[in-house]
Amino acid sequence: MTVLAADVQGQSRQLGLLWRVVEDISSELALEPLLTRIVAGACQLIGADDGTIGLYEAEHDWIRTVAVYRMPEGELGATMPRGVGLAGHVLASGRTALLRYGDLDSMTLPELADNQVVGIPIRWSGRLIGFFGIGAAPPRRFKREDVAALELFARHAAIAITNARRYQSERRRTDRFRLIAHVAGIIQAEADVDALLQRSADAIHELLGFENVDIPLLDEKQRDVLVIRIRGGDYKRQIRGEDRVPITRGIMGAAVREQRSQLVNDVAADPRYITPPGMCLPLAELAVPLLVGGEVIGVLNVEGSQRFDELDLSSLEIIADILAVAVHNLRLATASRDNAILRERQHLGRELHDNVTQVLSAIGLLTQTLSAVWQRDAAEGQRRVERLHELARTAHAEMRNLLRELQPPEPPAVTRSRRGRAVICVEQLRQYALPGALNQLLSAMVPENLELCMDFAQYEPQQIETEAALLRCCQEAVSNAVRHSRGKRLWIAAAVRDSYCELTVADDGGGIAPAHVPGMGFRSMRERAAALSGEAVIGARVPRGTEVRVRLPRRDRTGSAGASP
């Protein structure tokens, strides 16, 4: 009876420790600290001496060690294919392993041969995502209860790892949109090409962590040579002076010649890669051409110790498009300094603000709450992630299509469809008219804590130019209300009268301060309305809040508009 009571008491202590360890890892959303907590928690759970945790990389069919606890130096980062080491043994069998380490077919640490080890697969939705291995020196021997506790812990670890990966993915996406907004701001502040590119290179390195950044431009007199003098990261610190590279060489040269992005995730295996003197070989390189009107003017090139993916590619292609337009416009301004060029730059700034900044602002507000919400309620966190995806897709499409719209005319031989040149919200207006386009846009912009009331009962479809102005004014007014009003309700109404159409956006928030000075957003609304012989006014709403009213001449659309999406 005494032995039985001791066993029960020991199991009770282990169960209590298990829940404390589970609670500890559940509060961590950053992946690397989480993995360290998991392997340390697994060792503490059964009183083991050391351990490792690895993640499965399907493309190589191996397990890479990503965190260790009291293991020999050099284990971190090691890769174990099938059949090699304890991780490879579990990968090959797919089952939990309990054995003497020296009995493995292939050991990687012979000095630990007499240790007893436990290898536990970590699975999510039926597939292997990782593994942790725990060891103890003689005379310690693990019991079946220890293995059962580790297997239960592995289920909780799988949930924590999956949530951390999702959170990490959203943070990566948000960081890339922050970079896009930051570079757009740099364009507005800089009137010198080299200063613009240098600040952009520094921002790419600082915000995304890419170790090496180059932004060479083609020599304007010798069009087959890239001139490299703008660098970021390690290249900026270690390389001095100007380099000239013919476009017949290197991965950057290929991006110029082929006029398309080059993504190389193993530069050691690509004979095109050029290693700068005295520099270490990176793992991967991504070279994106700067294209204006079908002509390459330079390259945005990044290198790093991590593989690049589609998110990196699409984000840097947007940055490259922004920089290409900005460099082209600055060169025109330097050459002629006429008012038309200055107006084009101002137009770029206004369009970037009106079409994208509001969506990026909504992304920022949503991201600020994501960590706390996810820790409190994973289901609500996932719903907010889905809203982030929708907002990101909207901002992404707006930016790419807007930049195409703002580029100079292409040669006559190059044609582009009307749909390809349209800003995405304007294209939605063609298909759904104003109510449908606003429904789709605002469903992602307006947070759940703000009740949205919409009234289009007295509205009739207007011509595209009129509806585009109303949509952009509504987008700006809603963005301001979401960020500043602190209200609980938002009313949006559109109506067509005898000679005019009218849009109203109102909230029940704190209202406008007496000393309020209208910013760029409201100036943009007034300019849009004035361009169509209309007006935009902002004032107090009774009994409380703010009201924005936009009135334009009535211009009914010919033909029928589509239904709401």
Side-chain angles (χ1 to χ4, degrees):
M1 290 295 292
T2 304
V3 174
L4 179 59
D7 286 345
V8 170
Q9 186 177 13
Q11 291 175 15
S12 178
R13 282 197 302 268
Q14 191 174 62
L15 186 59
L17 179 58
L18 171 63
W19 293 124
R20 286 196 297 273
V21 172
V22 168
E23 183 177 0
D24 179 57
I25 68 171
S26 299
S27 64
E28 180 62 70
L29 284 176
L31 186 59
E32 290 186 9
L34 170 68
L35 296 170
T36 300
R37 287 191 184 188
I38 289 175
V39 67
C43 291
Q44 294 165 10
L45 182 62
I46 62 172
D49 295 328
D50 50 48
T52 67
I53 185 168
L55 296 179
Y56 177 58
E57 297 180 1
E59 58 186 300
H60 300 296
D61 193 33
W62 65 32
I63 290 176
R64 181 185 298 274
T65 302
V66 291
V68 298
Y69 179 77
R70 296 177 179 172
M71 288 295 291
E73 186 177 354
E75 278 300 286
L76 190 64
T79 56
M80 302 293 171
R82 291 176 183 267
V84 176
L86 181 59
H89 177 81
V90 172
L91 178 60
S93 68
R95 298 190 303 272
T96 296
L98 173 62
L99 71 167
R100 176 179 170 272
Y101 184 63
D103 293 337
L104 288 169
D105 293 335
S106 175
M107 288 187 298
T108 58
L109 298 169
E111 65 271 25
L112 303 181
D114 289 332
N115 285 16
Q116 191 180 44
V117 293
V118 182
I120 305 289
I122 304 174
R123 292 189 177 87
W124 176 258
S125 297
R127 60 184 180 84
L128 183 72
I129 63 171
F131 143 95
F132 58 76
I134 308 300
R140 176 77 162 91
R141 289 293 180 264
F142 299 125
K143 302 176 183 178
R144 282 181 296 178
E145 299 85 54
D146 296 327
V147 175
L150 287 175
E151 289 177 331
L152 179 58
F153 179 56
R155 299 190 197 114
H156 293 280
I159 296 171
I161 290 170
T162 301
N163 283 338
R165 279 176 159 174
R166 288 172 177 167
Y167 179 68
Q168 183 182 58
S169 176
E170 293 313 312
R171 286 297 301 269
R172 287 184 69 239
R173 189 183 302 276
T174 300
D175 286 345
R176 278 146 183 78
F177 277 101
R178 282 177 54 220
L179 175 63
I180 291 169
H182 187 64
V183 172
I186 292 172
I187 290 173
Q188 295 301 299
E190 291 294 349
D192 176 78
V193 169
D194 282 358
L196 165 69
L197 295 179
Q198 186 59 66
R199 288 186 61 188
S200 299
D202 291 339
I204 291 169
H205 167 67
E206 291 164 7
L207 294 180
L208 300 189
F210 298 142
E211 287 92 333
N212 306 324
V213 182
D214 284 324
I215 311 181
L217 297 179
L218 284 174
D219 190 313
E220 293 188 82
K221 295 180 180 179
Q222 195 174 354
R223 303 293 295 172
D224 60 350
V225 174
L226 282 167
V227 180
I228 310 174
R229 59 174 175 265
I230 304 300
R231 302 179 176 93
D234 291 344
Y235 282 176
K236 180 182 179 181
R237 289 188 291 271
Q238 300 182 42
I239 301 178
R240 296 290 181 265
E242 179 181 288
D243 289 326
R244 299 175 65 84
V245 179
I247 64 171
T248 55
R249 300 181 60 211
I251 294 171
M252 288 192 293
V256 176
R257 297 193 310 274
E258 300 175 22
Q259 295 195 2
R260 64 183 181 88
S261 300
Q262 308 287 317
L263 194 160
V264 180
N265 274 327
D266 184 5
V267 298
D270 194 318
R272 300 175 299 173
Y273 182 75
I274 302 173
T275 305
M279 300 299 296
C280 296
L281 187 73
L283 173 67
E285 180 176 4
L286 174 55
V288 181
L290 307 184
L291 279 160
V292 179
E295 180 183 0
V296 178
I297 65 170
V299 178
L300 170 57
N301 188 78
V302 297
E303 299 175 354
S305 58
Q306 302 292 326
R307 297 170 62 86
F308 297 115
D309 58 19
E310 287 300 316
L311 178 59
D312 296 318
L313 175 61
S314 61
S315 302
L316 289 181
E317 284 181 340
I318 290 177
I319 298 296
D321 285 345
I322 296 174
L323 293 177
V325 173
V327 168
H328 176 77
N329 286 344
L330 284 174
R331 283 176 168 176
L332 288 178
T334 301
S336 63
R337 297 294 180 185
D338 60 29
N339 290 334
I341 299 302
L342 295 177
R343 285 197 302 271
E344 184 175 357
R345 289 195 64 210
Q346 292 167 354
H347 176 59
L348 171 62
R350 189 184 75 174
E351 294 299 321
L352 284 170
H353 176 275
D354 290 354
N355 297 355
V356 181
T357 300
Q358 293 89 350
V359 181
L360 292 176
S361 176
I363 289 175
L365 289 172
L366 196 57
T367 303
Q368 290 173 14
T369 64
L370 187 59
S371 176
V373 169
W374 211 320
Q375 291 185 36
R376 185 175 64 251
D377 184 347
E380 176 60 22
Q382 184 61 36
R383 285 192 291 271
R384 296 198 178 201
V385 164
E386 291 168 2
R387 285 191 58 223
L388 272 175
H389 282 166
E390 182 61 29
L391 285 168
R393 282 193 293 267
T394 298
H396 205 281
E398 286 276 12
M399 182 71 76
R400 293 304 301 270
N401 288 297
L402 170 63
L403 287 165
R404 292 193 187 104
E405 191 74 10
L406 292 174
Q407 285 193 353
E410 295 178 342
V414 181
T415 60
R416 181 184 286 154
S417 71
R418 185 178 183 86
R419 183 180 182 89
R421 291 183 58 84
V423 176
I424 185 169
C425 283
V426 174
E427 192 61 22
Q428 291 169 349
L429 290 172
R430 298 185 192 282
Q431 187 173 0
Y432 305 119
L434 183 66
L438 282 178
N439 269 320
Q440 187 160 327
L441 176 66
L442 299 181
S443 65
M445 282 187 64
V446 178
E448 296 89 346
N449 62 347
L450 189 59
E451 181 181 349
L452 179 61
C453 307
M454 304 179 72
D455 180 9
F456 300 107
Q458 300 181 61
Y459 182 80
E460 295 177 19
Q462 299 294 292
Q463 291 185 18
I464 293 297
E465 187 178 22
T466 298
E467 291 201 336
L470 292 175
L471 184 142
R472 292 306 181 199
C473 290
C474 182
Q475 186 178 14
E476 173 63 27
V478 168
S479 177
N480 286 336
V482 169
R483 287 181 292 164
H484 306 304
S485 74
R486 300 186 301 278
K488 297 181 179 179
R489 285 189 178 140
L490 185 63
W491 292 271
I492 298 173
V496 174
R497 312 300 182 191
D498 290 343
S499 61
Y500 64 90
C501 59
E502 189 175 69
L503 170 77
T504 304
V505 179
D507 63 73
D508 62 350
I512 303 175
H516 172 75
V517 177
M520 180 178 178
F522 185 65
R523 291 198 302 271
S524 176
M525 283 193 279
R526 285 191 301 190
E527 290 170 3
R528 288 184 182 278
L532 297 176
S533 303
E535 65 176 359
V537 295
I538 183 170
R541 173 185 173 271
V542 178
R544 65 191 305 269
T546 304
E547 182 178 277
V548 176
R549 192 177 299 273
V550 181
R551 182 175 292 182
L552 301 177
R554 177 173 179 169
R555 299 166 63 201
D556 289 355
R557 187 187 303 196
T558 57
S560 59
S564 297

